[in-house]
Amino acid sequence: MSREHEMKVVSVAVWRTVRDHDESRIVEEANRVSVEASDSKMLMVASGSLNHKIWAIKNYAAHNGAFTSSSEFNRQMDLHVQELWKRGDHATFLKMLGDYARFCCGEGSMHDTAMLYGALGWDSYDKPCEVVTEYFPSSGTGQTNVIFPV
């Protein structure tokens, strides 16, 4: 690979259940300052989020748990969030983030998502996202792969 295509990878993953989303946002805003001061290309990888309501063992086999959602409400919310991201309506998503994390069992209380948005500029970020993998359920949870362009 030529030097012009080299980049550093910054992984965003956290389990901060005793903190609020603002603290996670602030951490990544500080990291953004460091990235912007660098002459390196960076790729940020954030993993987690969407609904993480895993099937209860007693219901797993009866509902084909490996390939279905454990909650229609959570599935519909995940699809709505994905549409907000595709439209670049991140400000609306961020207004829902706390409730979405709480009611849809967001993985790790969705602090990884708060950190990602902190790095992107929080509610001033307005770029449409590219869905790489269409939404699919796994073990009751919602899954997708999305590119948040800068």
Side-chain angles (χ1 to χ4, degrees):
M1 178 186 319
S2 69
R3 296 253 336 139
E4 71 178 288
H5 291 86
E6 287 181 8
M7 64 179 69
K8 297 186 184 328
V9 176
V10 178
S11 176
V12 176
V14 68
W15 186 263
R16 301 187 69 192
T17 57
V18 296
R19 304 286 184 227
D20 63 26
H21 289 133
D22 280 337
E23 290 181 43
S24 292
R25 173 186 54 82
I26 290 166
V27 165
E28 214 51 44
E29 284 175 344
N31 285 338
R32 179 184 179 151
V33 171
S34 298
V35 168
E36 288 175 342
S38 169
D39 62 352
S40 297
K41 292 181 181 180
M42 300 284 194
L43 170 69
M44 179 175 285
V45 178
S47 176
S49 301
L50 292 183
N51 102 74
H52 240 65
K53 179 72 173 161
I54 296 171
W55 277 107
I57 294 297
K58 65 182 180 179
N59 297 326
Y60 191 87
H63 294 282
N64 194 17
F67 304 105
T68 58
S69 181
S70 65
S71 164
E72 184 60 23
F73 175 80
N74 287 357
R75 187 179 82 80
Q76 292 298 324
M77 289 303 300
D78 288 347
L79 293 171
H80 178 67
V81 163
Q82 192 172 3
E83 288 303 314
L84 291 173
W85 290 347
K86 285 193 226 178
R87 290 195 314 259
D89 190 0
H90 304 285
T92 297
F93 169 74
L94 289 168
K95 288 176 188 172
M96 327 171 15
L97 179 60
D99 287 337
Y100 180 61
R102 184 172 39 260
F103 296 120
C104 296
C105 306
E107 184 178 18
S109 298
M110 297 186 74
H111 283 275
D112 55 341
T113 303
M115 292 175 77
L116 172 66
Y117 274 101
L120 292 171
W122 199 248
D123 59 358
S124 66
Y125 180 72
D126 63 358
K127 295 192 175 14
C129 292
E130 176 188 351
V131 174
V132 179
T133 307
E134 287 301 320
Y135 180 84
F136 64 97
S138 175
S139 302
T141 68
Q143 306 292 318
T144 189
N145 292 292
V146 180
I147 295 173
F148 288 72
V150 291

